[in-house]
Amino acid sequence: MNAYKFLGQTHREFVLSKQLLRCGTSIGALIREAEHAQSEADFLNKMNIALKEANETLYWISLLKDTGYLDEAIYQSINNDCTEIVAILASIVKSTKSKLNK
């Protein structure tokens, strides 16, 4: 949300930042939904979608950097955090799939 505010206030950029806001906030919403999943399969589905949204967030961050809206330092900070989230979600998805396949 801070990146969205920053981009809107300092760069008057609303299209790409709106996409970043949408997919970035959906990650947390999907994880919260997964906390009360109806089954392991439902949990896996929600976490898988969260992983896809996190990956999409990386795309928008990269595009914002490539178009000059994010400088290198801000990009690196946001990218590192998002890359960590992707790795955590990928691990959760992998271990849940393994558990379901046993």
Side-chain angles (χ1 to χ4, degrees):
M1 292 179 91
N2 289 337
Y4 176 73
K5 286 182 205 176
F6 167 76
L7 291 164
Q9 291 171 352
T10 61
H11 294 293
R12 309 290 300 156
E13 197 298 309
F14 300 103
V15 176
L16 299 176
S17 59
K18 185 78 166 191
Q19 289 294 107
L20 177 64
L21 178 67
R22 183 200 56 77
C23 62
T25 55
S26 69
I27 299 165
L30 285 157
I31 292 169
R32 287 299 288 264
E33 282 186 51
E35 290 175 5
H36 297 284
Q38 296 175 345
S39 65
E40 285 288 323
D42 186 34
F43 175 84
L44 175 60
N45 183 52
K46 287 177 178 19
M47 288 303 208
N48 225 345
I49 296 169
L51 174 58
K52 289 178 182 182
E53 292 291 333
N55 193 50
E56 182 181 339
T57 300
L58 283 172
Y59 169 76
W60 292 114
I61 293 167
S62 177
L63 198 55
L64 283 161
K65 180 185 98 34
D66 292 346
T67 54
Y69 288 110
L70 293 178
D71 67 32
E72 188 65 31
I74 293 172
Y75 165 76
Q76 285 300 326
S77 175
I78 297 170
N79 187 65
N80 290 345
D81 290 345
C82 195
T83 300
E84 269 187 62
I85 292 168
V86 167
I88 291 166
L89 289 169
S91 178
I92 291 169
V93 166
K94 183 178 177 182
S95 63
T96 305
K97 279 182 184 178
S98 176
K99 183 178 175 183
L100 284 173
N101 290 331
K102 286 185 179 180

